[in-house]
Amino acid sequence: MKGVPIKRLAALGVVLLLLAGGRAGLNALIEITPPPDMRISTSTLMLDRDGRLLRAFTVADGRWRLPVDLDAVDPTYVAMLLAYEDRRFASHPGVDALALMRAGWQLLSRGGIRSGGSTLTMQLSRLLETRSTRDTGGKLSQIRTALWLERRLDKDTILQAYLTLAPYGGNLEGVRSASLAWLGKEPRRLTPAEAALLVALPQSPETRRPDRHPEAARRARDRVLEHVRLVGIIDADEAAAARAEPVPTARLDAPLLAAHLTDRLRRAHPERAVHRLTLDAGLQERLEQLARARAAALGPRVSMAVLVADHGRGEILASVGSAGLFETVRQGHVDMTRAVRSPGSALKPLIYGLAFEDGRAHPESLIEDRPSAFGSYVPANFDLGFQGTVTVRRALQLSLNIPAVKLLDAVGPARLVARMRRAGAQPVLPDLSPPGLAVGLGGVGVSLTDLVHIYAAIARSGRPVILRDTLGEQGAGSGSLGIAADAGAPVLDARAAWYVASILAGAPAPTNSAPGVLAFKTGTSYGYRDAWAIGFDGRHVAGVWVGRPDGAPVPGLAGIDAAAPVLVEVFARLGPTTPLPPAPPGILSTTSAELPPPLRRVQDPRAASRGQTLGGAQAPQIAYPPEGARVELGLGRGRAADLVLRVRDGVPPFTWFVDGAPVVREPYARTTRWAPEGPGYVAISVVDARGGAARVSVFLE
């Protein structure tokens, strides 16, 4: 008995007496046991659309403690754990009397315990109470809590709690955290060597840390392998192969994908333990690698942002906020998918779409690209040159500034901003001033998210969509089939949107792409501060921003050179492109010479707005129907009447448009008729021989 710890021996004796007392003794002990605190806080998880881990956050004390689902843990690992740590786990009441008697005999005969008597339930009680078990009181408390746990919880719950709290070195707790940190994988499928290492580490997590003590970790792992070989969990060949497998010598970084988006979601919803995002983890990782590589090639302070969405389902698939979260020189902590910057020419497609919708222009209409002044505003092209007479299609494909400003002058800057807001964008005007013509060339603040919303609407035949980053409760978006619902009033009518898409699909392709694959547009802000490329196909829409987060110029930075090639690579990582939708009804496919006379050439809108044309004639005005009228035609009740259209002033011939499509051309008559297809709102416009136009919106019923 010399040298035997009397207190430890007494504790063992007390427990054995209680166990010998049978159920009555155990019940008495459990009744006086205070319940442990079972509120186990775990790391907040960010999961992708398929449940893959994007990112986890540490708990309040800085520990990685990922929640564990027993069904998601390799069964071989569980079998090894029970065989090595607690082979009677399934049958004992929390305390293994045989193991305790063996430990007591070792204490008496050898002066020390060679094989511990602690069960997994007892280890869990120690982890829950965080009280030392080296003294008698601590050991008795651990045993009492273990008995309490077994009486009130089932075995799976106890095992799952242990797998969540077990220490694995440093600030790692739980088998899932350990598997990701030491093995770089989820614990769903482990090799025998990996499983044995994870069994061995909690026994002495600091002295067996693979990154600091790899040899100690290897020896402990091999002891587990030999034990589980002897009990028949693995055979001799498997054990030999496992011993030959190297032990990891470095701790791996925790998954950290979509850092900016996940941080924003966590701050917005701190109460959520698990966030299910619409993102695709594989695509997200590929695009983050792409952004890092391409930004590095452009300069030490250049960053990059990428946003990709499925515009049909209204779901964001990837959100890359910077070229690297910890890239301090590039200010990687700034989320450039949300930063407000100048879009350069990226808004021009929407300007042209409004002109198509109003019937002021057609893709094959001719327009002048010549020096022009708009009051005190004198825009110039990017290359300071002029193309002369070009088609509207060519003007947009070449991103000419003068034609864009002429069309914006005609459709109105305020209307452009209103349509941007319809698309879900939040434009920021300088000093809260009313929008002017400079808006069309970048004189307004928008974010990459705003532009992707605008182009998503164009891709969807003018129908806006709110792009979601979080899955619904059923994991399939907000709709039962995951199909995006329209966000509100159309951004463009279907014909105008199709015209725009067809023009963008024919734009000169970047050097690393074949023409006609994507409908895309680039933009470069004043002073080479921002480079943009936004594009779409029949399924996806994507945007790329390149520049410095601090807004400093980057000499030579241009959308076509810096952003457009990256956009092409983004779509290459999405897989085969989806064709754009076919043309809607009412599309006018013809040459410039065969267009109706008012559409052959885009006229100077300022001449029409002053009410003057050649000969002093007034600009046309729609005399009937009046703006905002509800016109009863009997639509939906059998035979419907035609709608009378009447124009005053202007120079004939007149061409009438409904929702941007020409419907009637009258050489000289100022009154005509049109047969509507059904009830609803329609936009009616008329254009005279000199390009003067008028427009009303009415409801037909």
Side-chain angles (χ1 to χ4, degrees):
M1 295 290 291
K2 184 179 180 181
V4 176
I6 301 301
K7 290 184 178 181
R8 296 189 68 182
L9 187 60
L12 289 172
V14 170
V15 174
L16 292 174
L17 286 173
L18 287 170
L19 293 173
R23 183 177 298 275
L26 291 177
N27 287 340
L29 184 62
I30 292 170
E31 287 301 323
I32 62 172
T33 299
D37 186 357
M38 293 296 295
R39 295 172 299 178
I40 302 174
S41 62
T42 56
S43 298
T44 300
L45 300 186
M46 299 288 175
L47 307 180
D48 85 338
R49 61 189 308 107
D50 297 319
R52 292 172 291 185
L53 183 63
L54 293 165
R55 182 184 187 181
F57 292 86
T58 58
V59 294
D61 59 2
R63 297 179 182 273
W64 295 103
R65 187 187 298 143
L66 273 63
V68 179
D69 186 346
L70 199 55
D71 293 335
V73 178
D74 191 315
T76 300
Y77 161 77
V78 175
M80 286 185 177
L81 175 68
L82 296 179
Y84 195 76
E85 288 285 354
D86 192 353
R87 60 194 178 97
R88 283 181 286 273
F89 175 73
S91 59
H92 66 62
V95 177
D96 188 343
L98 293 176
L100 284 177
M101 286 189 288
R102 182 182 66 245
W105 173 250
Q106 291 173 354
L107 191 62
L108 286 170
S109 62
R110 302 181 185 180
I113 298 175
R114 305 298 173 87
S115 59
S118 291
T119 64
L120 286 179
T121 315
M122 291 170 64
Q123 293 180 47
L124 173 60
S125 68
R126 177 173 55 82
L127 293 170
L128 289 171
E129 295 185 334
T130 64
R131 177 179 176 181
S132 174
T133 58
R134 294 183 179 275
D135 59 79
T136 303
K139 195 67 176 179
L140 286 174
S141 175
Q142 178 191 26
I143 291 170
R144 289 164 55 190
T145 301
L147 295 171
W148 186 96
L149 290 170
E150 289 279 353
R151 181 62 58 89
R152 287 167 173 79
L153 305 177
D154 60 57
K155 292 287 186 178
D156 282 353
T157 302
I158 292 171
L159 181 57
Q160 186 164 299
Y162 171 82
L163 294 178
T164 303
L165 289 172
Y168 284 88
N171 63 345
L172 297 175
E173 289 189 359
V175 67
R176 190 176 180 191
S177 303
S179 185
L180 289 168
W182 299 126
L183 307 175
K185 61 194 291 188
E186 294 278 0
R188 186 180 299 276
R189 294 196 175 193
L190 303 172
T191 67
E194 293 169 340
L197 177 66
L198 295 181
V199 169
L201 289 181
Q203 293 181 338
S204 186
E206 292 305 320
T207 62
R208 296 175 181 177
R209 279 185 59 164
D211 58 338
R212 296 182 180 178
H213 309 287
E215 184 58 26
R218 184 193 62 77
R219 289 195 301 267
R221 179 201 68 180
D222 291 351
R223 284 195 295 272
V224 174
L225 288 170
E226 179 61 17
H227 182 85
V228 297
R229 181 192 69 80
L230 292 174
V231 298
I233 293 176
I234 60 175
D235 59 30
D237 291 339
E238 289 175 314
R243 284 192 295 270
E245 195 171 308
V247 168
T249 57
R251 174 171 165 172
L252 304 175
D253 293 332
L256 184 56
L257 295 174
H260 302 86
L261 173 59
T262 52
D263 186 63
R264 186 167 66 249
L265 289 174
R266 187 198 185 203
R267 285 186 281 107
H269 302 284
E271 76 286 354
R272 293 184 187 172
V274 178
H275 297 249
R276 288 292 303 274
L277 277 60
T278 59
L279 271 58
D280 180 315
L283 177 65
Q284 179 72 30
E285 184 172 18
R286 294 193 297 273
L287 295 188
E288 289 188 10
Q289 293 170 351
L290 174 66
R292 281 195 296 270
R294 296 297 171 265
L298 291 170
R301 297 182 181 276
V302 174
S303 190
M304 185 175 295
V306 181
L307 192 65
V308 181
D310 182 326
H311 57 70
R313 298 174 65 92
E315 295 175 349
I316 294 175
L317 302 180
S319 178
V320 181
S322 72
L325 181 65
F326 303 111
E327 293 274 352
T328 54
V329 174
R330 302 180 196 276
Q331 294 182 287
H333 63 283
V334 180
D335 183 1
M336 296 308 299
T337 67
R338 297 279 197 159
V340 176
R341 307 301 287 257
S342 166
S345 298
L347 295 177
K348 286 178 181 175
L350 190 53
I351 298 172
Y352 282 74
L354 290 172
F356 298 148
E357 183 179 284
D358 285 354
R360 296 179 183 274
H362 180 275
E364 304 308 323
S365 298
L366 299 178
I367 193 167
E368 296 301 317
D369 178 41
R370 303 182 189 278
S372 302
F374 300 82
S376 61
Y377 182 50
V378 185
N381 286 323
F382 186 76
D383 61 1
L384 302 180
F386 299 94
Q387 298 291 318
T389 303
V390 295
T391 64
V392 166
R393 179 185 301 276
R394 189 69 174 159
L396 179 53
Q397 290 175 344
L398 295 179
S399 196
L400 301 176
N401 287 344
I402 307 301
V405 175
K406 285 183 177 181
L407 293 175
L408 180 59
D409 193 30
V411 301
R415 192 154 161 250
L416 172 65
V417 171
R419 294 300 179 93
M420 291 170 64
R421 291 188 174 119
R422 277 194 193 181
Q426 299 176 338
V428 178
L429 295 167
D431 301 323
L432 301 178
S433 58
L437 293 177
V439 167
L441 301 185
V444 63
V446 298
S447 68
L448 180 61
T449 302
D450 291 333
L451 288 177
V452 170
H453 270 95
I454 292 170
Y455 280 73
I458 297 173
R460 288 164 47 86
S461 301
R463 293 175 289 114
V465 59
I466 297 174
L467 298 175
R468 302 181 300 275
D469 50 35
T470 304
L471 288 172
E473 293 182 357
Q474 302 303 317
S478 62
S480 60
L481 298 177
I483 304 301
D486 292 351
V491 176
L492 291 173
D493 70 47
R495 285 179 287 266
W498 187 88
Y499 281 139
V500 170
S502 68
I503 293 173
L504 298 182
T511 55
N512 60 338
S513 173
V517 175
L518 298 176
F520 80 100
K521 181 72 181 71
T522 61
T524 305
S525 68
Y526 178 77
Y528 301 101
R529 289 173 168 81
D530 307 277
W532 307 85
I534 322 291
F536 56 88
D537 64 7
R539 179 180 178 187
H540 297 115
V541 58
V544 176
W545 169 88
V546 183
R548 286 181 51 164
D550 61 4
V554 182
L557 185 75
I560 190 63
D561 299 319
V566 179
L567 180 70
V568 172
E569 293 189 68
V570 168
F571 273 90
R573 283 157 174 76
L574 281 167
T577 55
T578 302
L580 294 168
I587 290 298
L588 182 59
S589 298
T590 186
T591 64
S592 301
E594 295 174 339
L595 286 171
L599 284 178
R600 291 176 188 169
R601 183 176 294 273
V602 177
Q603 301 298 322
D604 180 0
R606 297 212 161 214
S609 66
R610 290 192 301 268
Q612 298 295 321
T613 65
L614 293 180
Q618 297 293 317
Q621 299 181 52
I622 296 177
Y624 187 85
E627 170 65 28
R630 297 182 71 92
V631 184
E632 173 62 54
L633 298 175
L635 297 171
R637 298 199 305 270
R639 181 172 178 78
D642 291 343
L643 176 66
V644 174
L645 305 173
R646 185 174 298 119
V647 60
R648 65 171 177 266
D649 299 329
V651 177
F654 300 103
T655 302
W656 291 88
F657 297 83
V658 174
D659 291 335
V663 293
V664 181
R665 181 169 183 267
E666 288 291 347
Y668 301 104
R670 294 181 175 272
T671 300
T672 186
R673 293 177 177 273
W674 167 68
E677 295 181 357
Y681 283 100
V682 293
I684 300 170
S685 55
V686 64
V687 181
D688 73 355
R690 305 305 298 170
R695 182 179 185 274
V696 297
S697 178
V698 299
F699 186 83
L700 306 180
E701 53 189 358

